[in-house]
Amino acid sequence: MMLRTVAFALILLFMTFDGAAAQGAQMPVSQCQAIASAIPKVTFASFKPFETAQLSSAREEVKITFVGHSTYQIESPEGVVIATDYNGAYRPPVMPDVVTMNKAHSTHFTLAPDLGIEHVLHGWSEVPGDKIEHRVMVGDSYVRNVTTDIRSYGGFEENGNSIFIFEIAGLCIGHLGHLHHELTESHYTEIGRLDILMVPTDGGLTMGADSMSRVVQRLRSSLILPMHRGGSSLDRFLSMFDGRYDIATARDRVLTVSMRSLPRKPTILVPQGL
């Protein structure tokens, strides 16, 4: 009887450990989210200069290309290709491994993506109002989302938009999608640190320039990449920023960036083609 009890206990222990391990494997730990509540117990990493020197620049670099409208192509050091707000019309030069979408307008999604795309991540749930949650590890790239509300039929649809966050080579890259309202404290906590921010600058289809600029300034990103609309709308957005920000136009179509190359002063970099 005692042997049977011990055996049963061991089985339960194995099942609990196995389940916890599986859950841990499915939910990678974000390096960009705020962890203030864990600070008393946290162990801070220590990077030795010699170890850092061993990293080749190629392993640290992320390539970002503006494709059109709200679509950016992000390529990781291991060659994982991601396309944001993919709609099938603005196609990256190569077949992406991951595409993210938002449903505000048909220019931000497609229900018939190329069958060769392995990971198609919708920023909305099929059940209106429900949250969609993505925590996906593809090669060296971790993709997650934070939902926001969206305007719909004269009102608001809960959780109809997603801010997608791409954690690659130590960088935290955020794409605001079709953001329709200023973010709450809860949103900022979920988002965490963003080194690079892709922000719609249409001045009204998403949010006005003043509201959008407040979101940008609160996120404190090092590099801000406009999208969605250029011209006078972009000019209005840029006018919201004072001397604390540098404003420049990209000289190259492909932006190569790493933790080491981030600008010391926050910079708004207008991509070619916007």
Side-chain angles (χ1 to χ4, degrees), residues 79-138:
V80 175
V81 176
I82 300 166
T84 65
D85 271 11
Y86 180 84
N87 61 17
Y90 295 100
R91 291 178 177 270
V94 298
M95 175 79 72
D97 303 291
V98 183
V99 298
T100 64
M101 301 180 188
N102 277 297
K103 71 169 182 177
H105 302 292
S106 59
T107 50
H108 298 263
F109 75 96
T110 174
L111 296 180
D114 194 298
L115 295 178
I117 300 171
E118 187 175 356
H119 301 275
V120 177
L121 308 182
H122 290 176
W124 68 94
S125 170
E126 296 305 317
V127 180
D130 281 4
K131 279 189 175 184
I132 187 74
E133 183 177 26
H134 297 293
R135 301 288 184 270
V136 180
M137 195 79 198
V138 182

Side-chain angles (χ1 to χ4, degrees), residues 3 42 75 86 94 157 162 198 206 215 224 235 242 244 273:
L3 285 174
V42 77
E75 183 177 349
Y86 180 84
V94 298
E157 179 183 331
S162 278
M198 298 163 179
T206 54
V215 171
I224 297 99
D235 292 340
D242 56 25
R244 291 174 297 170

Side-chain angles (χ1 to χ4, degrees), residues 4 16 100 107 112-113 123 128 130-131 137 141-142 150 153 161 168 171 174 179 188 192 195-196 218 232 253 263 270:
R4 241 186 292 178
T16 302
T100 64
T107 50
D130 281 4
K131 279 189 175 184
M137 195 79 198
S141 305
Y142 177 38
I150 198 167
Y153 303 106
N161 177 72
I168 307 171
L171 290 167
L179 184 62
Y188 287 115
D195 304 302
I196 301 172
R218 173 63 188 273
S232 59
R253 182 170 162 273
V270 180

Side-chain angles (χ1 to χ4, degrees), residues 197-225:
L197 179 66
M198 298 163 179
V199 54
T201 56
D202 54 80
L205 294 173
T206 54
M207 286 199 298
D210 53 346
S211 297
M212 195 65 78
S213 67
R214 283 195 291 271
V215 171
V216 171
Q217 292 177 58
R218 173 63 188 273
L219 285 168
R220 299 184 179 89
S221 303
S222 297
L223 188 61
I224 297 99
L225 303 177

Side-chain angles (χ1 to χ4, degrees), residues 4-271:
R4 241 186 292 178
T5 303
V6 171
F8 182 67
L10 287 173
I11 290 170
L12 282 178
L13 180 63
F14 174 78
M15 290 174 64
T16 302
F17 176 79
D18 190 53
Q23 186 176 15
Q26 292 169 2
M27 297 289 285
V29 177
S30 168
Q31 301 301 307
C32 305
Q33 282 179 300
I35 53 171
S37 61
I39 288 295
K41 302 176 183 178
V42 77
T43 300
F44 291 95
S46 174
F47 296 98
K48 298 178 183 177
F50 177 77
E51 292 173 340
T52 303
Q54 299 305 303
L55 292 173
S56 67
S57 59
R59 285 182 56 196
E60 298 176 344
E61 292 176 347
V62 175
K63 295 178 181 178
I64 300 175
T65 306
F66 180 65
V67 179
H69 203 54
S70 291
T71 302
Y72 271 95
Q73 174 184 295
I74 305 168
E75 183 177 349
S76 79
E78 288 185 7
V80 175
V81 176
I82 300 166
T84 65
D85 271 11
Y86 180 84
N87 61 17
Y90 295 100
R91 291 178 177 270
V94 298
M95 175 79 72
D97 303 291
V98 183
V99 298
T100 64
M101 301 180 188
N102 277 297
K103 71 169 182 177
H105 302 292
S106 59
T107 50
H108 298 263
F109 75 96
T110 174
L111 296 180
D114 194 298
L115 295 178
I117 300 171
E118 187 175 356
H119 301 275
V120 177
L121 308 182
H122 290 176
W124 68 94
S125 170
E126 296 305 317
V127 180
D130 281 4
K131 279 189 175 184
I132 187 74
E133 183 177 26
H134 297 293
R135 301 288 184 270
V136 180
M137 195 79 198
V138 182
D140 59 346
S141 305
Y142 177 38
V143 185
R144 61 186 177 90
N145 72 310
V146 175
T147 59
T148 68
D149 299 339
I150 198 167
R151 289 190 299 271
S152 178
Y153 303 106
F156 270 86
E157 179 183 331
E158 277 190 287
N159 303 310
N161 177 72
S162 278
I163 295 169
F164 279 96
I165 298 158
F166 313 95
E167 304 188 18
I168 307 171
L171 290 167
C172 305
I173 305 169
H175 185 285
L176 293 181
H178 213 274
L179 184 62
H180 286 175
H181 61 81
E182 293 195 38
L183 301 176
T184 65
E185 291 300 321
S186 177
H187 286 128
Y188 287 115
T189 299
E190 287 185 76
I191 291 167
R193 185 185 96 244
L194 291 182
D195 304 302
I196 301 172
L197 179 66
M198 298 163 179
V199 54
T201 56
D202 54 80
L205 294 173
T206 54
M207 286 199 298
D210 53 346
S211 297
M212 195 65 78
S213 67
R214 283 195 291 271
V215 171
V216 171
Q217 292 177 58
R218 173 63 188 273
L219 285 168
R220 299 184 179 89
S221 303
S222 297
L223 188 61
I224 297 99
L225 303 177
M227 61 182 185
H228 204 239
R229 187 67 64 86
S232 59
S233 298
L234 174 62
D235 292 340
R236 171 68 176 158
F237 172 78
L238 296 177
S239 72
M240 297 288 106
F241 296 88
D242 56 25
R244 291 174 297 170
Y245 288 75
D246 282 340
I247 297 173
T249 300
R251 287 180 287 185
D252 300 309
R253 182 170 162 273
V254 179
L255 171 66
T256 301
V257 63
S258 68
M259 285 294 292
R260 300 189 198 203
S261 68
L262 285 173
R264 292 181 179 274
K265 184 177 180 181
T267 300
I268 301 172
L269 187 64
V270 180

